Amino acid sequence: MVLGRRAATLAAAATLLLTPALVGCSDSGSSTGTSATTAQASGPADPVAAKAQIAKNWTAFFDPKTPPTERIKLLENGEKMAPVLGAFAADKTAGMASAKVTAIAFTSPTGADVTYDLLVGGSPALPGAKGTSVLQNNTWKVSVKTLCGLVQLSGAQVPGC
């Protein structure tokens, strides 16, 4: 019975991001804006502040109370992904979703691996999920790669993802 409940929860989590509007999810053409002269080779110049911003921005991005205009600012290439975010916000299941960042490991001055729990109604739907964050225009954002990964988790074939 636990397996059936987990499958239902995973399906609900996947539903959060599945809509016909999911087009253009590619990671190509991303631009990361940071100064290489002020960042260390293995991570940002201020990793404590960067981790705090990543956790804050991921929590806000997956919070259904965050307005779409703010979510656009928290997603890599957010303007390009606006139709996806609109569909995401309109989904009834998205109104019950949230994310809790549990670990962050920097891969470069402008990139980080993020481990998080995707929660639906406060219960873990995808515990220990893996994603990435990118520094773009001096803001740590949820990567398009992460968003597309959640979509593909359901087995859907979305152009550009």
Side-chain angles (χ1 to χ4, degrees), residues 38-40 42-54 104-106 108-109 140:
T38 61
Q40 301 169 0
S42 61
D46 187 348
V48 173
K51 284 182 178 185
Q53 186 184 79
I54 290 168
I104 299 166
F106 293 104
S108 73
W140 284 97

Side-chain angles (χ1 to χ4, degrees), residues 6-22:
R6 179 166 171 79
T9 304
L10 288 172
T15 300
L16 288 172
L17 299 171
L18 289 177
T19 67
L22 289 173

Side-chain angles (χ1 to χ4, degrees), residues 83-96:
V84 175
L85 294 176
F88 176 80
D91 187 277
K92 287 171 35 176
T93 308
M96 301 184 305

Side-chain angles (χ1 to χ4, degrees), residues 63-84:
D63 184 342
K65 295 175 189 153
T66 301
T69 55
E70 289 302 311
R71 283 187 183 182
I72 286 172
K73 296 175 187 175
L74 301 175
L75 178 65
E76 177 186 21
N77 301 327
E79 290 294 330
K80 178 180 173 184
M81 301 299 292
V84 175

